[in-house]
Every structure is written in structure tokens, then in C-alpha cells.
Amino acid sequence: MDSDQPTLPLAGDVRIPLLGFGTWQATGEAGFQAVLAALDAGYRHIDTATMYGNEKEVGRAVKESGLRREDVFITTKLPPDRVGRERETIEASLAALDTDYVDLWLVHWPPSAPGDSIPVWREMLAARDENMARTVGVSNYNYSIGQIDELIQATEETPAVNQIRWSPSLYERHTHAAHRDRGVALEGYSPFKTSDLSDPVLVRIAQAHDVSPAQVVLRWHIDHEIVVIPKSVTPERIRANVDVFGFSLTAEEMRDIDALAG
């Protein structure tokens, strides 16, 4: 893994880059080109999912990037309609991605049937123990921290990550702290969708650092040690989103952005 980007330690002696590239809705040739552009721009963490229908394109882009497999962190996810077919699903993901393992495999959404979460989680752990995934976690477990506690209590195994929608306007200090206290990394998706990039606070801080409000939002995640996965298929935006390592936010700026959640 490239050492010039900040990473967060996860369970299982795995480090996840704090900045990743989201690929939802990036399909076909455009998806392939977007992932290739992201890797070329310096991203070393690619987030996909069975549900996105683009694992093949992601795998092809990683291969064609010329990077070593161990230098790219790949996440994929188990969709709700594959509950009970976990092993078959991870095998299909590995085949599509053309890799022997993923770095992180997530339960994409909590299973809808009560009590299904624990059997699914046991299957995720089994895949990890068979080296099909270096580590495993969950996504959209944001109804209550009790959903995660249920998995920990049943298996004594903590999800490495919980990937949820996150941005300054959605910031909840207690949610962040609850994850940190349990050793679960918080990973935020859709950082811009719920952000007002014209907000005077973001604009002022962006001007102070000679960057864009979008870059401030990404840096805010990173300085909180929250993994963030912006997505774009526009080469200029892809490059701008990865160009967030030349500045950091002051404690006062962080507090001002935290306060946007009201």
C-alpha cells in the first residue's frame, strides 16, 4: 500500500486508505475508464458491490493500471437478496474482479428478516477465515448501534467497518464515538449529496486554504479519521477529489464544520 496516503488500522492487521473511490452507477466502459482514471490520479482504494454490476470493470481497471494487487484496497458487498448464498456470492465477486481475495467484504444492507443478521455475519467470517476477504464488515447498519452489538455478542467478532451515509450536515458525535469505542471504523458515502457546498462556513474555510468546498468536506472526513468514498466519472473532479493531502483543517475549523449538523 502506498505510504503517502493516510490509512486507518482495521481488525486483522489490515489498513484501509482514508480516501476511497466510490463506483455506484459507474458501469460499463464509462465505469472502467473512471476507475482507471482514479487509479492513475492516485486513489488506492476502490469501493464496489455486487449490486453495482461493475465488478468486472473494476477488476479490469486494477489489472490494466499496472499497479500491484497488494497496493490497491478493494471493497465489495453482499446484497440483501443473496442472504443464504454468501459463499456463492463472494466466489462470483472474486471471479468478476479477477482476484484471489478482496480487502474488505461488507453486508450491504441489514437483512430484512429478524434474526438473519447473525447467520449472515457468521458466513462473512467464514469467508474471511478462508482468505477470500482480508477483513469483513457491514454497511447501512445505522438504525442503532445495537445492530452491531448483536453481531459482536453472538460471535465475539467485531465488524471492521460500518459504511453509512455521512457528511458534515449528518455529523453525529455520539455515533462516531460509539463506533470508535467498539473498534469499528466509520466509512462515509455520498459526502456531497447531503452537503451544501455553497454554505458560507465551507466557502470561508475553502478560501483560507485555497481549495474548493468539496475538498474541505473530504478533508474534514480524513481529519476525523472517517473513511470517505466520493464518486465521480469526470476526470477533473476525480483528480480534484484526490488532491486533499496538501492541507489540513485547524481544530477551530473542524468545530465550525461539525456545527453544520445543527
Side-chain angles (χ1 to χ4, degrees), residues 63-221:
K63 275 279 194 299
E64 294 196 17
S65 71
L67 294 164
R68 297 182 308 167
R69 170 65 187 88
E70 58 267 32
D71 289 335
V72 183
F73 189 102
I74 300 175
T75 300
T76 193
K77 310 181 193 82
L78 172 87
D81 63 358
R82 299 293 181 94
V83 168
R85 292 186 288 154
E86 293 84 2
R87 188 186 178 95
E88 175 191 330
T89 303
I90 186 70
E91 286 175 349
S93 287
L94 296 180
L97 288 160
D98 193 15
T99 184
D100 295 332
Y101 67 95
V102 289
D103 297 276
L104 176 63
W105 193 32
L106 302 177
V107 182
H108 203 153
W109 293 88
S112 52
D116 270 0
S117 253
I118 292 165
V120 171
W121 183 233
R122 290 192 195 281
E123 289 297 326
M124 304 293 283
L125 295 169
R128 180 205 62 189
D129 292 346
E130 290 181 49
N131 300 316
M132 291 189 276
R134 291 174 69 215
T135 194
V136 289
V138 297
S139 176
N140 297 300
Y141 275 59
N142 52 357
Y143 176 69
S144 80
I145 199 72
Q147 293 174 293
I148 288 175
D149 286 340
E150 182 185 28
L151 303 182
I152 299 170
Q153 284 157 10
T155 63
E156 296 185 353
E157 293 267 16
T158 301
V161 166
N162 184 18
Q163 184 186 114
I164 59 177
R165 185 179 284 230
W166 197 259
S167 70
S169 67
L170 299 177
Y171 180 65
E172 293 177 340
R173 187 183 306 277
H174 66 276
T175 298
H176 188 197
H179 283 77
R180 201 171 44 229
D181 291 349
R182 289 159 177 77
V184 180
L186 202 55
E187 180 172 10
Y189 67 82
S190 298
F192 305 136
K193 196 167 274 188
T194 52
S195 293
D196 176 6
L197 297 178
S198 63
D199 187 284
V201 171
L202 295 178
V203 171
R204 168 176 58 80
I205 293 170
Q207 288 170 342
H209 293 279
D210 195 24
V211 296
S212 71
Q215 288 168 314
V216 168
V217 167
L218 297 177
R219 189 70 222 191
W220 171 83
H221 284 77

